[in-house]
Amino acid sequence: MPQPIVIAGSGLAGYTLAREFRKLDRDTPLLILSRDAAGFYSKPMLSNALSGNRTAESLVMKSAEKMATELNATIRARVDIAMIDPQRRVIELVDGEQIAFRDLVLALGADPIHLPIEGDGAADILSVNDLDDFARFASHLHDAKRIVVLGGGLIGCEFANDLLARGIEPVVIDIAAWPLGRLLPEAAATWFRQQLEAAGVSFRMGVSVTSVARNGGNYHVSLSDGSVLDTDLVLSAVGLRPRIALASAAGLAVNRGIRVDRRLASSQPNIHAIGDCAEVEGLVLPFVMPIMQQARALAATLAGTPTRLNYPAMPVVVKTPACPTVVCPPAPDAQGSWQILGGQDAAAGLEVQFLAPDEKLLGFALLGAATARKQALAAHAPATLA
């Protein structure tokens, strides 16, 4: 039997790649290794599951067994890779088992960033990065009335909005001056904040958490400005760090993520990376649309047609029903400025565009009812990676 293509990871990236590959090749052996139960679910749904009354169990759309049948693949759940031997094209599991591969795809994802916080309650801070994390988080919500959310970025704001569905008061804390600081300019972020505050979210911007202390069954959260918040729970959503340790130990080139070229190939032959762990020409994009583009390109390459990855304009949808938001950020080195179009009427929403000196559209942000213009503007925005 020929050696299999091994996909390390059963998240959205790993399973999407497997599906795309099977559209092109039904016969090559496919082995998927998963650190968890390997059921298929959409990780982006974790941050808005509460408003839909979803449980961890109900978020699983297909079991590992169904996925194995659908993909004509072998799926092994609850296994961990100890090392990769690129020269021998072998991976070794923690129990010592060795598996040879034709090609290895690292779809390892990313780990939550943990802030250095003092106090005897710091170890109780929760984060939600997978289905098991969500189950643990949800189990603590039954009597919660207030939750401190660390991080005012996309995930932090999504969770804060979602907690409102449970009648829980979220307090978002971030060192940045405004929420969604990496996506929105100040004027749009201020409008966004106002809509979420009207819905019941509280924000404490420009401060950080210094310590979390237990107070019976609750917590005292001390901030850098000297103030103290009482809370039932602390949820950390300050960002993710790509899982690169396994690749680095195997001698693969790494930076913020596992460095790959436009064909998703690493610095070692027959080893590839996609998803949250991959860095393509300096870009680490932990969003759904880049994963879809990567999976299609790599599937074609693995099926025998070397295919170069391209990123079209890829608007990011922020799942905050209190203020629906779509952002297509300009390139980091883009020259231009943000401009507000029209008024800031709550019923009409808010549209801001990032325009070059020659008025060419380089990025945009749409809030509220203005999100209806997503497709129209995306058609004129430049490709993220042409």
Side-chain angles (χ1 to χ4, degrees), residues 39-383:
F40 175 70
Y41 70 98
S42 175
K43 181 179 174 181
M45 292 183 65
L46 296 177
S47 60
N48 67 341
L50 299 176
S51 56
N53 292 316
R54 305 295 295 275
T55 64
E57 294 78 14
S58 70
L59 285 168
V60 178
M61 290 176 272
K62 292 182 181 180
S63 67
E65 293 74 21
K66 287 186 177 179
M67 292 301 294
T69 300
E70 179 182 297
L71 296 169
N72 185 28
T74 299
I75 299 176
R76 296 182 58 180
R78 307 288 183 189
V79 297
D80 284 304
I81 300 173
M83 62 166 289
I84 303 167
D85 186 333
Q87 284 68 44
R88 295 171 55 221
R89 293 193 198 176
V90 166
I91 59 174
E92 183 174 309
L93 305 184
V94 292
D95 63 2
E97 178 185 356
Q98 295 191 346
I99 300 172
F101 59 84
R102 191 202 85 179
D103 287 273
L104 172 63
V105 180
L106 300 176
L108 303 172
D111 289 313
I113 295 171
H114 297 290
L115 298 175
I117 295 173
E118 302 292 330
D120 61 1
D124 298 342
I125 297 174
L126 298 176
S127 59
V128 177
N129 192 43
D130 57 32
L131 209 59
D132 292 339
D133 289 343
F134 178 77
R136 189 178 307 110
F137 173 61
S139 71
H140 287 77
L141 299 182
H142 301 300
D143 299 318
K145 299 299 181 185
R146 171 189 270 191
I147 292 180
V148 165
V149 180
L150 308 183
L154 184 147
I155 300 300
C157 288
E158 289 185 347
F159 268 109
N161 196 146
D162 207 39
L163 287 167
L164 296 174
R166 288 286 186 93
I168 297 171
E169 177 197 356
V171 182
V172 176
I173 298 173
D174 200 304
I175 192 67
W178 58 80
L180 298 181
R182 294 184 179 181
L183 293 174
L184 294 180
E186 183 175 6
T190 299
W191 201 88
F192 174 87
R193 174 177 176 171
Q194 291 170 347
Q195 310 314 305
L196 265 66
E197 286 179 332
V201 178
S202 298
F203 288 91
R204 296 291 301 272
M205 307 303 297
V207 295
S208 60
V209 173
T210 58
S211 71
V212 176
R214 293 192 180 107
N215 178 36
N218 301 320
Y219 301 91
H220 289 318
V221 177
S222 299
L223 305 183
S224 56
D225 63 0
S227 60
V228 178
L229 298 175
D230 291 326
T231 185
D232 299 305
L233 199 65
V234 181
L235 175 68
S236 179
V238 296
L240 298 173
R241 181 175 289 113
R243 292 177 179 139
I244 62 173
L246 189 64
S248 179
L252 278 65
V254 299
N255 187 32
R256 286 192 302 146
I258 301 169
R259 298 180 64 177
V260 294
D261 62 20
R262 294 285 287 273
R263 292 181 179 173
L264 288 309
S266 77
S267 59
Q268 293 285 353
N270 299 91
I271 301 179
H272 319 264
I274 63 171
D276 292 359
C277 69
E279 179 179 333
V280 185
E281 292 197 358
L283 297 174
V284 178
L285 301 176
F287 306 114
V288 173
M289 288 185 68
I291 287 174
M292 299 301 171
Q293 298 293 329
Q294 292 172 9
R296 294 187 191 106
L298 182 54
T301 295
L302 293 174
T305 304
T307 300
R308 181 179 170 88
L309 173 68
N310 293 300
Y311 285 147
M314 298 183 294
V316 177
V317 177
V318 184
K319 301 186 297 297
T320 46
C323 184
T325 300
V326 175
V327 188
C328 189
D333 58 351
Q335 300 298 310
S337 61
W338 286 101
Q339 299 184 25
I340 299 175
L341 275 68
Q344 299 186 39
D345 179 74
L350 178 69
E351 177 178 336
V352 293
Q353 296 184 4
F354 190 91
L355 301 177
D358 62 359
E359 299 297 306
K360 181 180 178 181
L361 179 69
L362 299 180
F364 61 85
L366 305 170
L367 293 83
T371 55
R373 284 180 42 77
K374 179 182 76 168
Q375 296 300 331
L377 289 181
H380 297 284

